[in-house]
DNA sequence: CTGTTAGCGCGTTCAC
DNA sequence: GTGAACGCGCTAACAG
């Protein structure tokens, strides 16, 4: 089932391969009738130009590598969708690689991207990554890179993020405005840049007000978030506000809140706010207000920044790109 | 920043490109010391073999195209993870394309796969697809195809699915065993093969018992599932069992159950069962029992079947492959 | 043991 | 207007 080539078409029409190539590219030198003839034969024979051969010549692959820390159901799908949408507009294809929260796999994935000749790399780091030394293969080959969401702040590579400090500050202020006096903040893995930044924004806001009590806990996943928050709910009767750093944490906390209410046969008046992609909060029981952190939009922005990197001459110098967020109340 | 080639290495070491190629591939003809020499120079210069050139020669791309109906947060991430895991073992790369529930995009995605020279296509159909005519480009080029989960039953292409009929039958029996007499079944888009099959299994089981009342409703997403199920809960006081076809529906129903209980200040004794990937049921309030439909395992199986298609001679003849499921009670 | 040659499919010179 | 020749980087057949 070997594929049709321009040589085959040329033989059939009685012209050389180069003429076929030109006709198919609407080259002005070719007569209109010959063009039509060749093009009709090409479509008739289901001719598909061999992308590999074109890539070899042009030294481009039209493939963008996306490396994500893990294929979680939170945030990642909408991020991929945003990226995919934007890439398709310019005929780029998306290669998805998961690091499964392992640095070894992250290193491996960067190598795979280089091996595969990707034209650019979009990457969100694992929760264990704390330097970018392993990016050197990509640097060596001059492959443009954009860091997304889970990044490390530095001055070499573009970052596309939300203003994590401001986001958690907003959330903390929301709770303060609701008159909360005793607040619990639940964060993800303490090594991640987004955790650190969100933690800073949260603490900076609450520490200013001496009348406020607050506590910080960390939870790597929904399960742990559920367990730990239930302990807090049970032991701290004055708790009146909860901040949840992510959807994953929110899902766990939602469960413990329910269990707590069941056990105590009373409805709590605890105010809740989460940073979320926005799919799940409306299905929490009851609904949870959230600061919208759109994976879709972040993905689109990341691709735009990557495109910007393709033309280094006109390239914007700004290295850190912030996506705007909005607080939605329910 | 043009990349190092075997020609460059050859020039440096003083041998021909083919000798370099052989040394790098550990060809027996090359002397041990020359091999070592060449290999050390190669690594020193950060040589990476050009995959595009290799692909052109070998007529393989080592890329598998995955076409999904939509990048939803339900089921799809774990499906991709299973696929990705399995592909990596044999150095295949994954290209992800979303049809966004549009047939036009599905057609387009199949073309993209052909254009990109993928070595195989894994595809889960949109909820509007009801024939496979648009697969012809892939057929013409002899690209192996495997249908996953959302399929159309036919005899040409391998399908990798769960036994949807048996799955919903199991669920219906679970509710019967719990002594439910008045059951609500909530299903997804009525056009999908999985909806039809699950509906059949559900009805076949319940229709047998004349003492059982049941009702079927359809909901395209969580929101609609929530609205419609709340109406049923409110209007039917005798409802004592609910079957939910998917995670997406479960999330919506969970919310309406909560709202119903809040409004009526009483805990319902409604038994619940869902077909689920298993991530969310444990965080529903209260937990929901489920029939485990593993996206991860389905993905792995799909890749295995695809690999099987690579060697048509030894190929297993079975066209429909079922992943086993298990009912987990909480 | 190693070098030369040829060709994978395409686009782009450079001739005519 | 069109064809011939070349090269993208690599490997395999052939030659010595």
């Amino acid at each position: 089932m070997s594929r049709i080539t321009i040589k085959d078409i040329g033989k059939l029409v009685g012209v050389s391969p180069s003429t076929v190539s030109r006709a198919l590219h609407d080259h002005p030198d070719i007569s209109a009738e010959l063009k039509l003839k060749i093009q009709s034969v090409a479509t008739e024979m289901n001719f598909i130009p061999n992308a590999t051969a074109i890539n070899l010549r042009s030294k481009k692959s039209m493939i963008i590598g996306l490396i994500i820390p893990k294929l979680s159901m939170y945030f990642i799908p909408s991020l991929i969708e945003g990226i995919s949408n934007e890439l398709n507009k310019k005929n780029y294809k998306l290669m998805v690689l998961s690091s499964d929260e392992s640095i070894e796999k992250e290193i491996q994935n960067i190598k795979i991207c280089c091996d595969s000749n990707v034209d650019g790399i979009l990457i969100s780091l694992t929760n264990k990554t704390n330097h970018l030394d392993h990016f050197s293969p990509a640097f060596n080959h001059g492959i443009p890179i954009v860091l997304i969401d889970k990044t490390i702040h530095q001055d070499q590579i573009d970052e596309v993020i939300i203003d994590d400090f401001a986001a958690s500050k907003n959330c903390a202020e929301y709770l303060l405005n609701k008159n909360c006096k005793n607040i619990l903040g639940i964060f993800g893995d303490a090594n991640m840049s987004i955790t650190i930044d969100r933690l800073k924004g949260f603490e900076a806001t609450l520490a200013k007000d001496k009348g406020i009590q607050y506590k910080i806990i960390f939870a790597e996943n929904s399960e742990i978030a559920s367990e730990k928050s239930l302990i807090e709910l049970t032991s701290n009767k004055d708790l009146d506000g909860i901040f949840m750093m992510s959807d994953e944490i929110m899902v766990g906390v939602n469960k413990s809140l329910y269990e707590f209410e069941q056990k105590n046969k009373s409805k709590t008046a605890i105010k809740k706010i989460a940073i979320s992609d926005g799919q799940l909060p409306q299905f929490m029981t009851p609904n949870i207000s959230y600061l919208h952190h759109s994976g879709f939009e972040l993905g689109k922005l990341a691709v735009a920044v990557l495109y910007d990197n393709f033309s280094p001459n006109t390239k914007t110098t700004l290295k850190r790109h912030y996506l705007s967020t909005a607080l939605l109340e329910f």
Side-chain angles (χ1 to χ4, degrees), chain A:
Chain A
M1 200 75 63
S2 69
R3 288 173 32 159
I4 307 298
T5 70
I6 52 171
K7 212 157 84 182
D8 299 327
I9 298 177
K11 214 172 287 173
L12 210 91
V13 180
V15 295
S16 77
S18 43
T19 304
V20 176
S21 171
R22 281 185 280 237
L24 260 27
H25 287 94
D26 207 32
H27 191 100
D29 276 0
I30 308 289
S31 70
E33 47 179 344
L34 185 54
K35 261 184 211 165
L36 228 66
K37 168 84 180 165
I38 290 175
Q39 281 162 359
S40 75
V41 170
T43 53
E44 197 180 326
M45 299 180 77
N46 294 315
F47 171 71
I48 292 184
N50 186 320
T52 312
I54 295 172
N55 293 344
L56 181 59
R57 267 202 114 256
S58 65
K59 302 196 177 194
K60 298 210 300 175
S61 66
M62 297 306 283
I63 295 177
I64 301 300
L66 170 65
I67 303 174
I68 50 177
K70 193 172 171 57
L71 254 160
S72 96
M73 66 182 297
Y74 307 105
F75 190 71
I76 296 294
S78 58
L79 178 70
I80 298 181
E81 193 164 32
I83 290 169
S84 176
N85 250 276
E86 206 63 17
L87 288 181
N88 287 161
K89 290 183 190 164
K90 297 205 180 181
N91 281 317
Y92 280 94
K93 271 80 76 180
L94 179 65
M95 187 172 89
V96 175
L97 301 162
S98 168
S99 304
D100 204 22
E101 299 293 6
S102 141
I103 295 192
E104 287 70 35
K105 281 200 182 172
E106 190 171 90
I107 295 172
Q108 183 66 19
N109 284 338
I110 289 171
K111 286 207 186 106
I112 292 174
C113 283
C114 295
D115 287 358
S116 306
N117 262 325
V118 298
D119 291 339
I121 297 177
L122 302 171
I123 178 168
S124 190
L125 303 170
T126 78
N127 57 23
K128 297 174 191 69
T129 309
N130 48 30
H131 61 77
L132 302 182
D133 297 350
H134 50 300
F135 280 46
S136 55
F139 289 146
N140 289 339
H141 294 286
I143 302 174
I145 307 170
V146 174
L147 291 167
I148 309 178
D149 195 46
K150 294 181 176 174
T151 70
I152 288 177
H153 302 321
Q154 33 68 55
D155 299 318
Q156 314 308 314
I157 313 178
D158 279 315
E159 286 175 64
V160 173
I161 48 182
I162 61 163
D163 188 335
D164 291 291
F165 184 94
S168 57
K169 182 166 173 287
N170 273 9
C171 292
E173 283 167 354
Y174 169 85
L175 293 177
L176 290 182
N177 288 338
K178 292 290 175 190
N179 267 319
C180 296
K181 302 291 181 199
N182 197 308
I183 298 173
L184 176 64
I186 311 174
F187 294 81
D189 191 293
N191 183 57
M192 295 190 297
S193 61
I194 57 172
T195 303
I196 296 167
D197 290 348
R198 290 176 193 184
L199 186 56
K200 282 183 189 158
F202 183 75
E203 288 202 285
T205 310
L206 298 188
K208 277 191 294 195
D209 192 330
K210 294 302 170 195
I212 304 295
Q213 299 251 343
Y214 69 89
K215 182 168 179 181
I216 308 285
I217 60 177
F218 297 93
E220 293 148 35
N221 57 45
S222 304
E223 186 82 12
I224 296 175
S226 183
E227 291 168 11
K228 287 196 177 178
S229 60
L230 188 54
I231 293 173
E232 294 301 323
L233 285 166
T234 312
S235 62
N236 181 1
K237 299 296 176 196
D238 296 328
L239 193 60
D240 57 6
I242 300 185
F243 165 69
M244 293 154 283
M245 193 192 95
S246 68
D247 277 314
E248 191 169 8
I249 286 171
M250 180 185 72
V251 167
V253 173
N254 182 63
K255 182 189 170 189
S256 59
L257 276 165
Y258 177 83
E259 286 178 1
F260 180 71
E261 289 186 359
Q262 292 296 309
K263 206 175 294 176
N264 295 274
K265 310 273 186 227
S266 74
K267 215 164 134 46
T268 69
I270 297 176
K271 301 292 178 190
K272 300 170 288 283
I273 183 92
I275 295 179
S276 162
D277 185 45
Q279 301 244 27
L280 286 178
Q282 57 179 320
F283 295 109
M284 294 295 103
T285 50
N287 294 350
I288 291 181
S289 298
Y290 65 97
L291 184 129
H292 189 202
H293 173 202
S294 168
F296 188 86
E297 293 299 329
L298 204 69
K300 282 176 65 174
L301 180 57
V303 173
V305 172
L306 185 66
Y307 286 157
D308 203 26
N309 269 276
F310 286 164
S311 34
N313 36 344
T314 64
K315 183 174 165 3
T316 319
T317 48
L318 182 61
K319 281 284 176 189
R320 211 165 292 167
H321 309 259
Y322 293 102
L323 179 75
S324 63
T325 56
L327 201 149
L328 304 179
E329 187 169 355
F330 292 101

